Amino acid sequence: MTPEYKPEYKIVSAADELLKAFFVRGIVFCEGQNCPYSVEMDGLDFSAIHFLAIVGDEPVATARIRFFRDYVKIERLAVRNSYRGIGIGKGMLNFVMNYIEGKGYRTMKMHAQAYLVRFYENFGFVKYGEIFMEANIEHFAMKKNNNDSENYSSL
């Protein structure tokens, strides 16, 4: 990754940062993938922890997680199109998974868009169940169970 694209990864802690996360999701999901606003804004954002990647002053990637009793669900991981292919998505997922591990959770789940299954498999996620439609996009349920503590920054 070239220095001009070195992102800062952070946990959203202010209203303007949350707006930036929503901005990225709007570009990626609503505009880029024709996901209806009513589906994208599902009412669960205020029960989630959000993450943001910034390059310079541009919000370029986001994700959110929600905690359940026995697992954490990774959701809404999005990278703006012009920032794809340079490691920002990997960096975001590393940042999120390290945060989850730091909270003591060992099981992570997600609904992955079908074309991204291989990307998530590289991080140890495995798909289970049949393909399904979510927001008119093919998805697979995926999960990762960690019995040993791992550091994902080397991926």
Side-chain angles (χ1 to χ4, degrees):
M1 182 177 324
T2 58
E4 63 267 16
Y5 287 115
K6 182 154 179 57
E8 172 192 358
Y9 298 98
K10 62 191 320 178
I11 299 165
V12 168
S13 62
D16 67 317
E17 293 172 345
L18 186 58
L19 290 174
K20 290 174 184 177
F22 291 162
F23 171 81
V24 171
R25 286 171 39 190
I27 291 170
V28 172
F29 297 128
C30 296
E31 181 67 22
Q33 298 180 347
N34 295 315
C35 178
Y37 174 84
S38 61
V39 173
E40 176 53 33
M41 301 309 292
D42 60 4
L44 300 173
D45 285 307
F46 294 108
S47 64
I49 294 176
H50 297 265
F51 302 85
L52 189 61
I54 305 284
V55 172
D57 61 356
E58 282 293 311
V60 300
T62 190
R64 78 177 187 193
I65 60 172
R66 291 186 301 129
F67 291 95
F68 295 87
R69 191 181 120 169
D70 297 324
Y71 66 94
V72 175
K73 188 172 182 199
I74 301 171
E75 302 173 321
R76 305 299 202 264
L77 196 148
V79 179
R80 287 172 52 191
N81 198 35
S82 57
Y83 293 90
R84 293 181 187 160
I86 57 174
I88 291 175
K90 289 179 184 179
M92 176 59 77
L93 189 54
N94 284 328
F95 188 78
V96 169
M97 290 190 307
N98 282 319
Y99 177 85
I100 291 168
E101 285 256 324
K103 294 294 182 186
Y105 281 80
R106 297 293 176 249
T107 302
M108 302 173 212
K109 295 183 179 183
M110 69 172 58
H111 292 169
Q113 292 184 10
Y115 84 97
L116 290 169
V117 164
R118 300 246 341 169
F119 172 79
Y120 293 115
E121 286 174 340
N122 289 328
F123 290 85
F125 284 87
V126 294
K127 66 182 182 178
Y128 63 96
E130 299 297 318
I131 197 165
F132 62 93
M133 297 298 285
E134 188 171 77
N136 295 317
I137 298 169
E138 292 179 332
H139 284 74
F140 281 98
M142 298 190 81
K143 66 180 170 182
K144 177 177 177 58
N145 294 309
N146 295 330
N147 294 325
D148 301 319
S149 181
E150 299 179 30
N151 183 325
Y152 303 101
S153 58
S154 63
L155 293 176

